[in-house]
Amino acid sequence: MRPNMKADPRSWLLAWFAGHAKIDQDNIKPDTNYIERGLLDSFAFIALISDVEQEFRIRFSDGDFRKTDFLTISGLASIIERKMK
Amino acid sequence: MNPHDASREMVLAIKSVFERNRSRVFIVDTLGRREFTYGELEDLSLRAAGMLRELGLRKGDRISIIMPNCIEYIVIYFACMHTGVIPVPVNQRLHTDEMKYIISNAEAKCLFISSRFEEAARQLRSLGLGIVTIIPGSEAESPKAGDWLRAVSAHAPLPDGPLGIVEDGDTIIIVFTSGTTNRPKGVQIRYKEIIGNGKMFAGLLQLESRHRFFAYLDLAYLGGFYNLMLIPFIAEGSIVLQETFSPRVAISFWDMAIKHGINAIWLVPSIASILLSIDRSKVGSEYSREHVEKVLIGTAPLPEQLKKSFEERYHVELYENYGLSETFFISTNHPGIGEPRGVGKVVPGCSVRILDDAGHERGACETGEIVVRSSYLMKGYYKMDEKGAFTRDGWFRTGDMGYLDRDGYLFVTDRKKDLIIRGGINISPKEIEDVIARHPGISAVAVVGMPDRHAGEQVVAVVNGGAGLDKEELLKHCKSHLAPFKIPESIFSSDELPRSVTGKINKKELRRLLLEGALPELPARSKEDETEHES
């Protein structure tokens, strides 16, 4: 489910995580590694990538996926902001 | 061949694979960063078998295993083969209530559990069985921290030698699988059928010793145990052992393939879809064009467009196959039958008929239920009757709908049984419905699989309940009884669930209503409501 709002990447991402029924809401923190903590399975991860790309009209590169920043809400928000410039 | 050997033909086939390949690498363990030859695996598993014997475990006893993919898992599987002990793998992601059900139902005498699941181990102690905590070598903080494989290496091997006391008619594994009932059923699998099916399958697909597979399917399922451990073993090939498919594996998929020289890939459609979506460079496509020889795919329906896109991008041919835990491979596409079509041709040793609702056989290209007679059929469900699993004249009902075309290719078109396949994993809607129905606010519930762009299907619940019912509370209830992958992705509400004339919920109609967007989502309790309630 994509949050129905235009917002800054960080707020949008927080809303995206909050909108996912399966995610343990108590563990959603901006600096939590959402992969290490098992918050997203591979289907949710790919949905996140696809929803972000659609929302912010950007396209991640192979290199983006490899950045450790990509795996936290704060880090991902920074990557999105850089790509939007 | 002496009479004793005749009852051990398949068992001796495993033994001879060890004998022929002692110095060749079988496992590249990317988690523990080590390689294991066939000889090393045989030695370690014989020593682990000695440990099982010392624990008092004997042929026919059952043990449960709760571990992530790791070399220790494979060592235990082979140790069971040497001792005749029957492994009952339990998916690490299940809720502890679900784990308890499987372990109790299998009457396991001992549980081998990873130190990673300390809390689950604590809760499972109430079952009163022996518990062996395993610290995988890849997770031990230092060699002295209790690395289980080190202890195994120092143990005396089983004196009976490799596979010394098992016969083809013995059970090699019991796999619990979600059916249409509310509880999983234990499928008992014997050496005779699984090794026979594996040898036949490896022959048809021309899998050979040069083939190196990427083993990222969960070892707790047949996808990991059979497709990506036993079949590569039977083919005398090798495997690159990885954690179960995850975002991390998806991101590094082609890097790993290149680094370890992987040339054989076993996919499920959802993984193919994820790989296509996440791949943003030409590296994978170029590597695949030059080096990947076999790509096999099954466990869930494969959309035609996904097949075409994957084949075009990676310059490979996808060999789609079809089978169930109870039957192994029923059909497959393979190099010997020309152009791949549907789920391929019915394999040797197996016969397929298509039946209408009255049980009459249908003609070519006519759709009906797929029923099977096979020399590879399971021994039966463990301590559970098989009522309804067979036709009156003994054909196994797959619960899938399909047809055979005029050239004998099998096509699977629909599902007769009430089942959700999410990312290749079978989920019983009835199991989820029973949990939701236990919530006091619910008067009726139906759970269905709805199309999902990557997972194939997602779990959707439709409930009829009181005005105060809220989504968060219902999800909390689900989370306290179900594994995460079974929790509904969405919950909708309906004042009246559509029913057939017999009063049964009409899920076909329900899916139509959901696709049309005719049902509202169950609301989450607003913050204002909470405040009012609290005051």
Side-chain angles (χ1 to χ4, degrees):
Chain A
M1 185 197 300
R2 297 173 56 200
N4 187 19
M5 55 185 267
K6 269 279 178 193
D8 68 283
R10 190 182 151 109
S11 311
W12 188 92
L13 286 167
L14 283 167
W16 187 94
F17 275 79
H20 273 68
K22 285 177 177 251
I23 299 171
D24 186 353
Q25 303 294 316
D26 296 340
N27 284 324
I28 302 170
K29 305 277 183 316
D31 294 317
T32 301
N33 183 318
Y34 50 79
I35 299 299
E36 293 293 336
R37 291 297 297 267
L39 295 181
L40 299 186
D41 65 12
S42 27
F43 306 122
F45 180 64
I46 209 75
L48 170 67
I49 292 170
S50 149
D51 288 349
V52 167
E53 289 185 331
Q54 213 176 320
E55 177 69 21
F56 298 101
R57 295 169 191 266
I58 56 170
R59 186 159 166 84
F60 294 118
S61 69
D62 230 24
D64 293 326
F65 297 140
R66 287 158 209 279
K67 291 174 185 155
T68 46
D69 280 2
F70 199 89
L71 306 179
T72 64
I73 289 176
S74 299
L76 182 53
S78 305
I79 293 173
I80 296 168
E81 276 162 5
R82 280 201 295 275
K83 291 192 94 73
M84 285 169 70
K85 280 178 188 166
Chain B
M1 188 185 282
N2 69 42
H4 182 60
D5 283 353
S7 65
R8 282 174 34 91
E9 193 186 341
M10 295 301 148
V11 167
L12 292 174
I14 303 179
K15 200 174 162 188
S16 66
V17 170
F18 274 127
E19 286 164 2
R20 278 196 299 273
N21 296 281
R22 286 199 192 289
S23 57
R24 294 185 55 245
V25 170
F26 175 50
I27 301 167
V28 178
D29 176 17
T30 62
L31 306 158
R33 296 180 187 171
R34 270 187 72 182
E35 289 187 350
F36 294 85
T37 62
Y38 279 85
E40 285 167 328
L41 176 62
E42 187 188 57
D43 178 66
L44 278 170
S45 55
L46 273 170
R47 291 174 190 279
M51 280 178 132
L52 296 189
R53 181 72 58 83
E54 203 172 271
L55 285 167
L57 295 162
R58 298 289 179 268
K59 183 175 170 180
D61 288 343
R62 270 96 39 220
I63 62 164
S64 278
I65 308 168
I66 304 175
M67 294 206 288
N69 277 7
C70 56
I71 178 70
E72 290 81 359
Y73 214 140
I74 295 178
V75 169
I76 293 174
Y77 272 147
F78 278 95
C80 287
M81 294 183 209
H82 300 317
T83 52
V85 168
I86 303 165
V88 184
V90 180
N91 180 351
Q92 53 174 307
R93 291 175 297 162
L94 291 183
H95 191 278
T96 42
D97 288 349
E98 298 167 314
M99 292 175 173
K100 276 183 186 171
Y101 169 80
I102 292 174
I103 296 168
S104 311
N105 195 272
E107 299 167 303
K109 280 195 167 175
C110 192
L111 167 67
F112 289 77
I113 186 164
S114 163
S115 51
R116 193 189 284 188
F117 309 122
E118 208 176 331
E119 177 52 27
R122 198 186 57 75
Q123 291 187 40
L124 295 169
R125 280 192 198 287
S126 62
L127 296 174
L129 75 173
I131 294 186
V132 176
T133 304
I134 296 198
I135 301 179
S138 55
E139 291 181 13
E141 286 168 12
S142 74
K144 287 180 185 167
D147 174 351
W148 184 76
L149 223 45
R150 257 171 207 278
V152 168
S153 308
H155 200 280
L158 188 78
D160 308 285
L163 295 115
I165 57 169
V166 287
E167 300 198 336
D168 289 353
D170 292 329
T171 300
I172 188 171
I173 193 169
I174 299 176
V175 177
F176 276 74
T177 177
S178 281
T180 51
T181 53
N182 59 341
R183 290 293 201 175
K185 294 177 280 191
V187 179
Q188 299 179 92
I189 295 164
R190 295 183 292 201
Y191 288 83
K192 184 180 155 202
E193 286 85 17
I194 198 167
I195 306 299
N197 189 265
K199 278 165 71 94
M200 174 276 299
F201 187 83
L204 289 179
L205 270 299
Q206 299 168 9
L207 304 177
E208 295 169 6
S209 58
R210 70 171 187 282
H211 289 124
R212 175 161 284 190
F213 288 81
F214 202 173
Y216 56 75
L217 296 181
D218 199 321
L219 279 161
Y221 289 111
L222 283 180
F225 174 79
Y226 180 47
N227 301 14
L228 284 170
M229 186 191 85
L230 266 188
I231 288 180
F233 182 91
I234 291 166
E236 302 180 28
S238 57
I239 60 173
V240 175
L241 183 64
Q242 247 302 356
E243 64 177 291
T244 306
F245 192 79
S246 65
R248 204 173 10 223
V249 176
I251 290 168
S252 60
F253 190 91
W254 290 110
D255 290 346
M256 297 298 281
I258 294 164
K259 183 176 176 187
H260 298 292
I262 289 161
N263 56 14
I265 297 172
W266 208 305
L267 293 168
V268 299
S270 54
I271 291 178
S273 167
I274 287 171
L275 291 178
L276 271 175
S277 300
I278 209 168
D279 189 3
R280 304 291 161 90
S281 77
K282 288 183 179 167
V283 172
S285 150
E286 283 169 1
Y287 175 79
S288 178
R289 185 211 304 260
E290 294 298 318
H291 302 283
V292 176
E293 296 179 26
K294 302 284 178 193
V295 186
L296 316 176
I297 190 160
T299 76
L302 174 65
E304 190 54 39
Q305 187 53 47
L306 174 59
K307 180 175 188 286
K308 197 165 168 261
S309 303
F310 198 93
E311 288 180 336
E312 280 175 7
R313 177 154 180 92
Y314 295 109
H315 317 282
V316 292
E317 190 156 44
L318 289 187
Y319 290 112
E320 192 177 0
N321 50 59
Y322 169 65
L324 309 174
S325 301
E326 291 91 336
T327 62
F328 306 116
F329 294 108
I330 292 170
S331 71
T332 187
N333 285 293
H334 58 86
I337 57 170
E339 189 198 353
R341 245 188 277 166
V343 291
K345 287 196 173 176
V346 177
V347 299
C350 194
S351 306
V352 161
R353 290 170 75 187
I354 307 294
L355 302 183
D356 66 15
D357 286 343
H360 301 127
E361 189 166 3
R362 309 215 71 183
C365 300
E366 290 180 337
T367 301
E369 186 182 4
I370 301 167
V371 298
V372 180
R373 189 167 267 175
S374 169
S375 40
Y376 308 117
L377 207 63
M378 64 167 177
K379 180 181 170 190
Y381 296 117
Y382 187 73
K383 296 210 165 171
M384 201 174 269
D385 73 49
E386 284 145 27
K387 197 178 141 195
F390 292 88
T391 63
R392 240 181 266 170
D393 49 353
W395 290 68
F396 181 78
R397 292 183 178 280
T398 64
D400 289 318
M401 301 292 285
Y403 65 91
L404 285 161
D405 75 5
R406 291 184 201 290
D407 299 322
Y409 284 88
L410 182 64
F411 290 76
V412 181
T413 54
D414 201 358
R415 218 170 294 148
K416 193 175 180 181
K417 59 198 169 195
D418 191 13
L419 189 72
I420 296 169
I421 306 180
R422 182 182 185 271
I425 307 274
N426 291 356
I427 298 174
S428 161
K430 175 116 179 36
E431 186 184 352
I432 304 168
E433 285 164 359
D434 283 356
V435 166
I436 295 178
R438 291 209 297 268
H439 187 280
I442 298 291
S443 49
V445 53
V447 171
V448 291
M450 294 301 290
D452 182 276
R453 53 190 161 161
H454 296 296
E457 285 184 310
Q458 58 170 260
V459 180
V460 173
V462 182
V463 297
N464 174 220
L469 191 67
D470 88 278
K471 186 175 144 189
E472 300 307 324
E473 190 189 314
L474 203 51
L475 282 171
K476 201 174 156 193
H477 172 76
C478 290
K479 283 174 187 169
S480 62
H481 294 93
L482 292 168
F485 61 91
K486 296 178 186 174
I487 294 165
E489 263 99 355
S490 311
I491 304 179
F492 293 85
S493 77
S494 168
D495 292 337
E496 200 172 351
L497 293 167
R499 291 181 188 271
S500 67
V501 283
T502 58
K504 200 175 159 192
I505 292 172
N506 183 341
K507 292 197 170 178
K508 203 171 172 184
E509 175 64 7
L510 196 60
R511 278 190 207 97
R512 190 188 64 77
L513 291 171
L514 286 165
L515 282 173
E516 283 179 359
L519 300 176
E521 275 209 66
L522 187 69
R525 188 190 294 165
S526 69
K527 293 288 173 200
E528 289 77 14
D529 289 346
E530 276 178 33
T531 315
E532 278 172 29
H533 185 73
E534 282 160 13
S535 62

